[in-house]
Amino acid sequence: MKINFSSYPMVTLAQPTQLSLSELPAGRSAQVVALELDGDESAWLAAFGLFVGQRLTMVRRALAGGPLHVRAASGGEFALARSLAVRVAVIADR
Amino acid sequence: MAEPTPPRPSLAEPAVRSSDSVRSSPVTPTDATALLVALVGRPNAGKSSLFNRLTGGSARVGNFPGITVDVLEAPLALPSGRAARIVDLPGVYSLVASVDPATDEGIAQRFLDDSAAKAGGAVVVVQVLDATQVALGLRLTRELLARSEPLVVVATQADVLVAEGRVLDAHALASALGVEVVLVNARSPEASSPVLAAIARAASAPARATSFDPDALARAVVRDAAPSPRELHRRGFTARVDALLLHPLLGPVLFLALMTALFAGVFLVTEPVSALLDRAKDALAAAATSLLGKGLLASFVADGIVDGAGTVLTFLPQIVILTVTMELLEASGYLARGAFLLDRVFRIAGLGGRAFVPLLTGHACAIPAIQATRILRDPMERLTTILVIPLMSCAARLPVYGLLIAAFFAGASALARAAIFVTLYFSGIVLGLVAAVVLRRSVLRGRSLPLAMELPAYRAPELRVVFASTLRGAGRFVREVGTTILVAALALWVLLTIPMPGAKADGSPLERSLAAGLGRALEPVTEPLGFDWQINVGLIASFGARELMVGTLGVIHGIEDADEDAAPLAARLKDARSADGTRRYGVRTALSLMAFFVLACQCLSTVAAIRRETRSWRWPLFTLGYTYALAWVAAFVVYRGAGLLGLG
């Protein structure tokens, strides 16, 4: 079936965009909405303050695929490998 | 992970004993009648500060997540007069997330399980909770409440909380949890008595809540207010320092500069102190000789005992200064930043950023470094790190490097000689990382746990804690490494003194000794590397401890006090002639010997430490095997290569 895209009107997303924590730019804040981790990993990361509902700020991103420096709203900062961050879904603040 | 399971080592061995009232405990509690108080808490919660405060003694306070590697124990004076002991367990984030039992977290988990089983009801768990991170701490509280032991919650950092303009309602928290809650500043002397009283009360009246939501409870009991200007400044401080120290380009440069300065400083400061200790050793040996005459006993005391013990002491300054520096860096929070900076590079080698701490420590001495691998949560990474630590150029190799450079590169400029030194250091580091890559792709294949690590706020180290910890580190070095060096020195004295059965009567006593016989027997293996029997005797000596190489070569070449002043020995080595009048050792022999020394694990203490940490003979033997094979091949390549280049 051929769709003529131009016939659809431009839409503004009503839903805020969901992205992975690894994509969050430095300086931006976001809220964790889902974790794709096994039980042990979840328990381990929850202890650092990474759990669903937590608000996070991306402090800095190391070069060349290095770890991410994240601040948790509940207190404390931690370093997180990108391979873990891709499995953390967040909704970025506007 | 289908590959060979790494050995499941181990509860902590009693690594520290008998320093005043503080001693490290074998992990299983022993005395069933006394009350056992276990300090549990997240890393950096102020647990070790509280331990110091309660016991009057000192334990290590780390600002690097989970670096407390010893389980420290001390008697505790409760107001009720009941006999009690307190243990400072390694920091834990969670008791339910499963971990390798050999890591700090595993040690803490096992300790609690074992003590609960063995001591019956005579255990009180004291959770040290950082009052500035209540929600996170309460997650651990929830896990501890699910256990059967009576619990006391000690909320620390009361001073920081005040500065932040926040108020923790300890009464509300206590009634919500159903346990005693005490709010203190663990660094203040007033902290002890309310905590001790709460422990005494909790021991008799356990009562607890069933379930709660940590975040909701934290919101209910902590009242936020506007932070003081000082607090705003403090918060800004960590952010500003991080902006510099973790800068993508400047950060690594500053890190390298700091590490270079650290090592330069260690050498500059230790050189004169070591020389002084060496002179004291010689004076003692001379006194022994004049007291006991020239007989066998005098030789045993002067050359065996005094020399062996003295060798241990001359290495002490380096160990002490490196420990102090590491403690300061760790307590300040910088080591965690180093791990952050290095993580990407270390991933290539199949290691995580945190592995840099044990590898750095390995440049002073492999023994504490191997113990420091307990901060690594991933069993594969931990084992890999343990196996490559012996390739780092520890303090004991330096005299040998120094001797060979003095003997064969005396004509070179100071800069060229420094370059050789640096090359030797870096070849150890580079080959260590290469070995890690190879190990992670062969015998230690398997998925790594990705990095997840707290970055604590910078704070000023507590000096008395650093001091006490250094004292323990030095004590451990003297005990563990020192005993081995002493035993090796004594064994060497026997080998050099007792004649080989059936040796020809001509020649010096040394040439007829057991050591010479062994050295000659090894010649077929070492001939391709350019080593003759005299060098082999030195290698045999340094199998026990590398420190003994220079002194042994001195004995062989008839130089007294080669340890103190290597110049006469260097000249002797340079001018040594074979029977046919040709020069016995050339530059290529020196290069070959250096290559061998960089790589071979010539240290029985290291072998023992690997055995202890991995709880198997497999890995220490593997380390010996692979490092000696690597050393032989490298020495062979260097010797032949230098020959092809026309070096004498």
Side-chain angles (χ1 to χ4, degrees), chain B residues 42 98-99 109 151 248 339 370 444 473 518:
Chain B
R42 293 161 55 90
S98 76
V99 291
Q109 285 182 9
L151 180 70
I370 286 168
L444 297 176
L518 285 174

Side-chain angles (χ1 to χ4, degrees), chain A residues 40-41 43-49 51 60 62-69 74-81 83-84 87, chain B residues 42 93-94 96-98 105 132-133 135-136 139 215 239 242-243 246 248-249 340 343-344 377 447 450-455:
Chain A
D40 272 349
E41 285 172 327
W44 177 246
L45 291 180
F48 289 112
F51 43 81
R60 61 173 52 79
L63 286 183
L68 307 170
H69 179 175
S74 63
E77 296 179 8
F78 52 90
L80 193 70
S83 58
L84 277 178
R87 293 188 274 146
Chain B
R42 293 161 55 90
Y93 287 103
S94 164
V96 294
S98 76
E105 293 232 308
T132 63
Q133 295 186 4
L136 293 179
R139 289 177 170 264
D215 300 306
D242 269 347
L246 294 182
L249 300 172
F340 178 86
D343 190 67
R344 184 69 194 88
R377 196 168 165 262
R447 197 168 67 98
L451 179 82
M453 174 185 73
E454 226 185 330
L455 292 171

